[in-house]
Amino acid sequence: MKEIPRLPDGRGRVVIEKVSPQIDCGRFPIKRVVGEVVVVEADVFADGHDQVSCQVLYSREGDKDWQSAPMTREGNDRWRGTFSVPDLLVGAELIEAAAGRAKGEDVRLLQQTAHSIREEKDIQSATSLALGEKLFRAIGRHPERQFAIRYEKSLAVVVDREKASFSTWYEVFPRSCSSEAQRHGTFRDCERWLPYIASMGFDVVYLPPVHPIGRAFRKGKNNSQVAEPNDVGSPWAIGSREGGHTSVHPELGTLEDFRHFVSEAREHGLEVALDVGFQCTPDHPYVKEHPEWFRKRPDGSIQYAENPPKKYHDIYPLDFETEDWRTLWDELKNVFQFWIDQGVRIFRVDNPHTKPFSFWEWVIGEIKKKQDDVLFLSEAFTRPHVMYRLAKLGFSQSYTYFTWRNTKQELTDYFTELTQTEVREYFRPNLWPNTPDILSEFLQVGGRPAFMIRLILAATLGASYGIYGPAFELCENTPVHAGSEEYLNSEKYELKHRDLHSTWSLKDLISRINRIRKENAALQTNHNLRFHGTDNPMLICYSKTTDDLSNVMVVIVNLDSSHRQTGWVNLDLAVLGLEAGHEFQVHDLLGDGRYFWQGSRNYVELTPETLPAHILQVRRRIRTERDFDYYL
């Protein structure tokens, strides 16, 4: 953390407190992406009646000089300042404040500034900021300026590239990409899928582990305890005599084939995300080379994984409390570095909540020192505090509870927490309606309309979302048995062969929704998500806007996959930048209908079998001097 210059005198009279945003009293950084604005607020005041002024100081990590941005008064001694982050890894920010007595032209300046701040609705306006800066300089012309106070600590800001906050993921098993049934697919086969994936508007293609799969205690189809000779096993059972975490499964191809796949994906506008799971099979080279990295049972055998009453004989968890922990940590860091050297810049990390917090803070920090564009997705379906802690420690994005939030109240409460509380400063949600491990009950019983509903919710509630395909677009929804979230004939344990051009496929709807996301900046962020009232609990309504309201989107979804639902929505017009009583146009970007609405209360009806939602682009009515109306 950057050292804060200390002032030589104790005669400073200004108090700075309740600074926001800061996470756990400054223990963890807030997160932004390149080009985003950091809004800093604080209570700043002094004794007596002298004028107070303050500014935000900020600096890129490694720079000695601080840049400054003035803060303006919000009322009741609350001050606000902003600065943008133009590049990766902005290092720190702090607040400096001073109290002073101004005379002559400075008095007029202070009066002008105070008047401007009272009159200006937009406190970020150029005029207000300029006057605030002059105010701080005015106070600086007087001796009292030397007693300025700086906040007791600098606050860190981690700045990632844009894909950390806005991304669209497609998960695919390369071994199922063969054009021939029952033949193990290769990276070259998967390359032929890239145009299909790109045509649907995805920008991340996510691969499960690509490493050799163990044979000892290999699981059979549908997770059976005994594998048949031709069973391919689970990709998450990592390691065999062919290699471990830095090797490629020989039936997928060579390391050169993998690098070629990464290059071809880039040509189609796709970035490869690779799954990293730090667990080993009994066949993994680590078991023989480093037995000290594993826990022993009383009889001296290595302890396999357990989640009572389940036992996983095919998996050995690593012992992060081993006396040789430093060597283990270095080795696991080298696993990440190996794949970074092959061109990977995004990692989906399997079950990080079962490894030490201290390890993740260290390894992510070490990697980003060298490659600050690397992103990490945390796959941790666990308790909220654990999920949030992993995000604070450095994970760029996180899986969420979205998969199990179905009702209007559940969705409203959960996403209000994610987007309108302190959580939004460090936790970036990535929404998945399905995964190879999770086939939710809603998808099992709701048929094709349920898949459409969950797709629309994921793509519009979250700036980042993903699907496990082609299972999702083909609406595969048969569980292994009633009450289970596992797929029948799960792809985790066998090869699949599918018809990508099935008339049942949702690929055209997915393409349209992803195009809408890319064309509307409001859907590319989470911070301005707001929920609006409806008189029908089966209808949910929410909006997203850009900060300047140049792009305003309203989404209304029928949460009932079986029945048509009707009702009235009650829009908060102020949130949308609309005036009461004025007519405005809404353009349904899904169904392409255009409607003229007026006021906050408007009627909708949505049929799940055809199109269960409206994704509305709001256009305000503008009247010219010649009384010609158009919509902006």
Side-chain angles (χ1 to χ4, degrees):
M1 184 174 290
K2 185 183 294 294
E3 181 181 355
I4 305 171
R6 297 299 176 189
L7 297 166
D9 202 297
R11 288 175 285 174
R13 300 165 48 211
V14 180
V15 174
I16 304 172
E17 61 185 21
K18 295 185 179 178
V19 176
S20 68
Q22 60 175 302
I23 310 304
D24 293 353
C25 300
R27 165 68 172 85
F28 299 105
I30 63 171
K31 294 177 181 175
R32 294 293 185 272
V33 297
V34 172
E36 280 190 326
V37 170
V38 178
V39 179
V40 182
E41 294 188 353
D43 291 347
V44 182
F45 53 92
D47 59 274
H49 302 287
D50 290 346
Q51 295 291 336
V52 172
S53 184
C54 52
Q55 60 182 350
V56 180
L57 303 179
Y58 59 97
S59 176
R60 196 185 196 283
E61 187 174 27
D63 292 349
K64 295 182 179 180
D65 297 329
W66 294 85
Q67 301 182 61
S68 65
M71 302 182 74
T72 53
R73 192 189 301 272
E74 289 281 277
N76 194 28
D77 292 320
R78 191 69 174 169
W79 292 73
R80 175 186 286 196
T82 66
F83 64 93
S84 62
V85 286
D87 54 9
L88 299 181
L89 285 177
V90 168
E93 55 168 284
L94 59 87
I95 295 174
E96 182 178 59
R101 295 179 289 278
K103 299 179 181 179
E105 74 275 7
D106 292 337
V107 172
R108 291 190 296 272
L109 174 61
L110 297 178
Q111 292 171 342
Q112 182 184 9
T113 302
H115 176 75
S116 172
I117 293 172
R118 283 195 301 270
E119 295 296 322
E120 284 287 351
K121 300 296 184 183
D122 178 9
I123 63 121
Q124 297 183 42
S125 70
T127 302
S128 182
L129 287 178
L131 288 171
E133 189 171 6
K134 290 179 181 178
L135 172 61
F136 201 89
R137 289 202 301 266
I139 292 178
R141 283 195 286 269
H142 299 280
E144 290 83 357
R145 172 66 181 84
Q146 65 179 303
F147 307 128
I149 294 295
R150 284 179 175 169
Y151 188 54
E152 59 189 12
K153 55 194 170 189
S154 62
L155 302 175
V157 186
V158 169
V159 184
D160 293 307
R161 55 193 174 103
E162 182 183 3
K163 197 160 283 184
S165 66
F166 176 58
S167 55
T168 313
W169 294 53
Y170 187 89
E171 180 176 5
V172 62
F173 284 67
R175 71 184 188 184
S176 292
C177 291
S178 171
S179 58
E180 306 168 26
Q182 302 307 313
R183 180 176 71 81
H184 196 290
T186 67
F187 291 126
R188 296 287 177 163
D189 291 323
C190 199
E191 284 181 11
R192 290 191 281 271
W193 282 42
L194 293 174
Y196 166 76
I197 298 170
S199 72
M200 290 188 288
F202 293 96
D203 53 36
V204 177
V205 54
Y206 154 45
L207 307 183
V210 298
H211 318 300
I213 297 172
R215 291 197 170 272
F217 302 102
R218 175 178 287 189
K219 295 294 185 68
K221 294 178 181 179
N222 288 313
N223 198 26
S224 65
Q225 294 296 319
V226 180
E228 298 297 325
N230 293 327
D231 284 342
V232 292
S234 167
W236 284 272
I238 298 170
S240 74
R241 63 186 180 186
E242 288 88 4
H245 283 75
T246 57
S247 300
V248 168
H249 193 299
E251 291 192 76
L252 290 175
T254 66
L255 192 59
E256 176 58 34
D257 291 330
F258 177 81
R259 287 194 292 263
H260 191 272
F261 178 81
V262 172
S263 177
E264 284 297 301
R266 192 177 300 115
E267 291 296 316
H268 288 85
L270 292 160
E271 189 169 352
V272 173
L274 185 62
D275 194 294
V276 169
F278 287 140
Q279 62 265 352
C280 303
T281 67
D283 303 336
H284 197 293
Y286 288 165
V287 177
K288 182 178 180 179
E289 297 169 2
H290 294 282
E292 69 277 9
W293 290 354
F294 303 90
R295 290 183 179 178
K296 304 295 193 302
R297 299 173 68 82
D299 63 2
S301 62
I302 294 179
Q303 180 177 318
Y304 51 78
E306 294 186 70
N307 183 16
K310 296 180 180 180
K311 297 181 179 181
Y312 302 94
H313 296 86
D314 60 332
I315 294 295
Y316 289 166
L318 292 162
D319 181 11
F320 283 82
E321 296 179 352
T322 174
E323 292 185 2
D324 194 31
W325 64 272
R326 293 184 184 274
T327 306
L328 172 62
W329 285 26
D330 284 334
E331 173 64 17
L332 299 183
K333 183 188 75 170
N334 291 338
V335 169
F336 281 117
Q337 189 60 55
F338 177 87
W339 293 106
I340 290 170
D341 293 341
Q342 313 312 313
V344 177
R345 290 295 185 274
I346 304 179
F347 295 97
R348 181 267 199 189
V349 179
D350 187 59
N351 286 328
H353 59 290
T354 61
K355 287 78 180 175
F357 294 132
S358 55
F359 168 73
W360 293 120
E361 184 171 24
W362 173 80
V363 75
I364 293 174
E366 288 295 300
I367 289 168
K368 292 181 79 69
K369 284 179 184 178
K370 292 185 177 180
Q371 288 93 13
D372 54 12
D373 61 339
V374 175
L375 305 178
F376 299 86
L377 170 62
S378 167
E379 186 266 349
F381 294 115
T382 182
R383 302 182 307 281
H385 287 297
V386 177
M387 295 171 71
Y388 291 161
R389 183 74 176 191
L390 290 167
K392 294 174 185 178
L393 293 170
F395 278 93
S396 317
Q397 293 184 354
S398 306
Y399 278 58
T400 70
Y401 300 138
F402 164 75
T403 316
W404 301 277
R405 299 295 185 264
N406 297 306
T407 69
K408 174 182 173 181
Q409 195 63 52
E410 288 172 345
L411 290 165
T412 301
D413 291 346
Y414 186 49
F415 282 91
T416 297
E417 175 184 342
L418 294 185
T419 64
Q420 302 306 316
T421 69
E422 178 192 70
V423 173
R424 76 179 196 169
E425 301 292 350
Y426 59 85
F427 186 90
R428 298 191 185 110
N430 193 323
L431 311 184
W432 291 75
N434 75 327
T435 76
D437 300 299
I438 303 171
L439 173 63
S440 69
E441 182 183 12
F442 188 84
L443 296 181
Q444 292 177 28
V445 303
R448 195 169 187 266
F451 282 80
M452 291 193 287
I453 289 168
R454 297 305 288 182
L455 169 70
I456 293 166
L457 288 170
T460 56
L461 280 169
S464 292
Y465 88 99
I467 61 172
Y468 154 52
F472 187 88
E473 65 263 32
L474 298 180
C475 304
E476 296 179 7
N477 69 340
T478 305
V480 67
H481 58 75
S484 172
E485 289 186 337
E486 288 278 353
Y487 288 84
L488 178 65
N489 303 322
S490 171
E491 193 171 6
K492 290 190 297 181
Y493 308 106
E494 62 182 87
L495 306 179
K496 305 293 283 189
H497 186 74
R498 301 178 174 100
D499 178 10
L500 299 183
H501 304 291
S502 167
T503 57
W504 190 248
S505 175
L506 293 175
K507 61 184 176 64
D508 292 337
L509 177 63
I510 294 170
S511 301
R512 190 176 189 94
I513 288 173
N514 285 339
R515 184 169 64 252
I516 292 170
R517 281 165 50 88
K518 290 181 179 178
E519 292 175 353
N520 290 274
L523 297 177
Q524 299 170 18
T525 182
N526 295 315
H527 288 189
N528 288 339
L529 174 68
R530 296 293 186 277
F531 290 91
H532 302 259
T534 67
D535 65 354
N536 181 344
M538 299 309 295
L539 294 176
I540 190 169
C541 178
Y542 50 91
S543 66
K544 283 190 170 183
T545 68
T546 53
D547 290 337
D548 61 1
L549 298 178
S550 61
N551 186 222
V552 176
M553 305 295 294
V554 173
V555 182
I556 308 163
V557 184
N558 178 358
L559 300 176
D560 183 353
S561 61
S562 301
H563 303 93
R564 180 174 64 96
Q565 296 290 338
T566 65
W568 293 83
V569 299
N570 296 285
L571 301 176
D572 185 336
L573 297 179
V575 167
L576 307 179
L578 300 172
E579 296 183 17
H582 285 210
E583 185 181 74
F584 56 96
Q585 183 191 85
V586 291
H587 178 196
D588 184 7
L589 301 181
L590 270 184
D592 208 29
R594 296 173 188 267
Y595 311 98
F596 292 102
W597 284 4
Q598 186 166 353
S600 61
R601 187 172 166 82
N602 295 276
Y603 177 81
V604 297
E605 59 179 60
L606 294 166
T607 304
E609 294 82 4
T610 53
L611 207 57
H614 291 313
I615 302 180
L616 304 172
Q617 186 181 69
V618 178
R619 297 178 174 178
R620 297 184 297 277
R621 184 178 182 180
I622 304 296
R623 178 161 296 228
T624 67
E625 294 179 357
R626 298 181 181 180
D627 293 333
F628 173 75
D629 289 348
Y630 67 95
Y631 290 86
L632 181 64

